[in-house]
Amino acid sequence: MKLERLSDEELVIRARAAAGSAAGLQLVDELFRRHYAQVARWCFRFSGDRESAADLAQEVFTKVYRSLGSFHGHSKFSTWLYSIARNECLNAVRARAVGPGDSGGEMLIGLPEQDGGGFWAAAERVSCAELVRELLNEALEDVEKKVFTLHFGEDLPLEAITRLLGLRNASGAKAFIVSARRKLSRSIQRWKAREQRAVGARER
Amino acid sequence: MPDRGATRPEFWKEALAPSEACLTLEDLVRLSNRSISREAVARAHVAACARCQTELALLREYQSATTLPDESAAVSWITAELERRFDQIKQIKVIARLPVSRSTARERSTGWRRLLLPRPIRAAAFASAALLAAIVVGLNLRGSQAPELASDLVPGPQVFRSEELVAVGPTGDLKEVPAELRWQAIAAAARYRVKVMEVDRAELWQTESIRTSVILPAPVRARIVPGKTLLWQVTAIDSASKPVADSQILRFRVAIGSSSNKD
């Protein structure tokens, strides 16, 4: 049977059965070739230069090759490969970003800080994560949400986010962080005003 | 909120962490393919969850076959490179990560003496080293030609300022396993921290020195196998133990077919 006609999952099963033989390697070669371009593009968007991307992609396929025995077919091979590529690239870019003065803190300046019993105290009472997620979801546009989540939730540097999301505006992801910060700040102020009105109504 | 605030990244990181209700990657794939059970519930969650929306967007970005015009040349090059490196992918074994040494230069010899103590775990480590050495010999016998390795991670010419910390070498494709790492001194440094990493920046080894070079110990050299790219970087530390400068990250690789470590 021609290898091209086999699904990814069938290739994995046959490769495992023929492990260590030339035929097994041929099956793995066919399997990997199908995904080289996709993983290459993904790694390039994370790293921004082709040398690093090639090293990163090699690392992804080395991990996949070593772990083929643990792939049980509960998900599609492409999903499994994606999860490895995603984690490998996130770890590499995060690690590269760590250095003196590389905190995202300055991107958050402008948001209301602790205010003695205001929004943040209420956030603590209600369930911080839930309230903050609700606020993010209501206040921000789609791209702002993604940029904000990738930068502050996943520690991705802004230039990597710009490439990853294919942002074409002049200042890339930074513009979306700035607008997200402004909208969040306004949204927090509105929330506080609503809370104060509610407290006032209860006291009357 | 006693000790956290909106300007602290940790606060948002915590708030943006996946919740129990967030969809798994498999579920996001099913949702994308419209093959998920309880689709309405899943869609309702995603509509209200910035995190799941972001994960779904990343997944779709990955699945999309669209290569932008300015990335197509690089993607073709990387793809060709992966095809050339298939021999390495299927032959390189796991490089056992050494325990990271946090010792100072003065304490380093004690640390390595400890590593050499005849405990079972050390024996296992040396057995692994022997196995890797055997792989090295095997790779040498193949005599295949690896593509040339660019010497550092920054594309284009490197510009150095006067007080910039410059890592000197090793860098690029090497004929043999390097014996030491070298860099240039800067005035503000009281000592230097050096680390060797895999390409995903996972640390293989770290040490500190008051000099401008360190000798790579034999157990580290034993883990440098032909064809495997490694990175290294040096950080200058001042007298108050504060990092004051990072060097560029250099990459090096021992070419397949060249002489290997014989320690």
Side-chain angles (χ1 to χ4, degrees), chain B residues 15-213:
Chain B
L16 290 164
S19 70
E20 280 181 15
C22 283
L23 272 64
T24 62
L25 185 58
E26 285 78 14
D27 281 341
L28 287 171
V29 173
R30 288 186 200 109
L31 183 69
S32 201
N33 300 334
R34 307 186 68 92
S35 60
I36 191 169
S37 59
R38 302 178 69 215
E39 185 176 339
V41 176
R43 286 202 183 281
H45 171 78
V46 172
C49 175
R51 176 154 194 112
C52 284
Q53 289 166 29
T54 305
E55 285 293 348
L56 192 58
L58 286 187
L59 177 68
R60 285 183 176 150
E61 199 60 52
Y62 176 81
Q63 286 173 332
S64 144
T66 314
T67 301
L68 300 171
D70 59 350
E71 59 188 19
S72 63
V75 170
S76 301
W77 184 88
I78 299 162
T79 303
E81 192 73 357
L82 286 171
E83 285 173 8
R84 278 197 293 270
R85 293 187 191 183
F86 181 64
D87 280 352
Q88 296 168 30
I89 290 169
K90 67 182 197 280
Q91 289 200 28
I92 289 173
K93 304 293 181 192
V94 184
I95 294 186
R97 286 173 187 172
L98 289 170
V100 174
S101 162
R102 302 282 175 196
S103 59
T104 63
R106 275 188 297 274
E107 292 164 336
R108 214 177 345 150
S109 60
T110 316
W112 282 107
R113 210 177 303 128
R114 233 181 10 248
L115 185 71
L116 295 167
L117 284 175
R119 293 182 187 169
I121 190 139
R122 309 294 179 226
F126 283 109
S128 304
L131 178 63
L132 282 165
I135 293 163
V136 166
V137 171
L139 287 169
N140 282 342
L141 290 175
R142 291 184 55 79
S144 62
Q145 200 61 49
E148 200 177 318
L149 183 70
S151 58
D152 63 51
L153 299 174
V154 183
Q158 187 84 40
V159 179
F160 300 123
R161 290 187 297 274
S162 58
E163 261 305 271
E164 197 153 16
L165 180 55
V166 177
V168 175
T171 181
D173 274 324
L174 309 174
K175 290 185 177 158
E176 55 189 22
V177 174
E180 64 174 6
L181 308 175
R182 288 170 289 109
W183 57 94
Q184 290 177 2
I186 64 167
R191 61 183 199 276
Y192 301 91
R193 183 184 303 137
V194 190
K195 58 181 177 182
V196 178
M197 302 163 280
E198 295 200 59
V199 293
D200 64 357
R201 287 1 186 228
E203 202 166 284
L204 284 177
W205 179 66
Q206 184 188 114
T207 191
E208 290 190 2
S209 174
I210 53 169
R211 302 176 188 280
T212 55
S213 66

Side-chain angles (χ1 to χ4, degrees), chain A residues 1-77:
Chain A
M1 176 175 245
K2 285 193 170 182
L3 296 184
E4 303 86 67
R5 291 187 188 161
L6 296 173
S7 69
D8 287 354
E9 293 71 28
E10 286 170 325
L11 284 172
V12 176
I13 291 166
R14 289 180 185 217
R16 281 164 56 175
S21 70
L25 287 177
Q26 206 183 345
L27 290 157
V28 176
D29 191 20
E30 166 65 20
L31 177 69
F32 283 9
R33 274 173 195 275
R34 294 179 184 182
H35 299 276
Y36 278 153
Q38 206 165 22
V39 172
R41 187 164 47 87
W42 183 255
C43 292
F44 182 65
R45 287 195 180 171
F46 268 92
S47 68
D49 76 276
R50 63 182 202 173
E51 285 284 344
S52 299
D55 289 343
L56 206 46
Q58 179 182 342
E59 207 59 30
V60 170
F61 282 105
T62 302
K63 281 200 174 148
V64 170
Y65 183 73
R66 285 201 304 249
S67 315
L68 273 181
S70 66
F71 175 73
H72 299 298
H74 298 313
S75 61
K76 287 180 73 177
F77 174 79

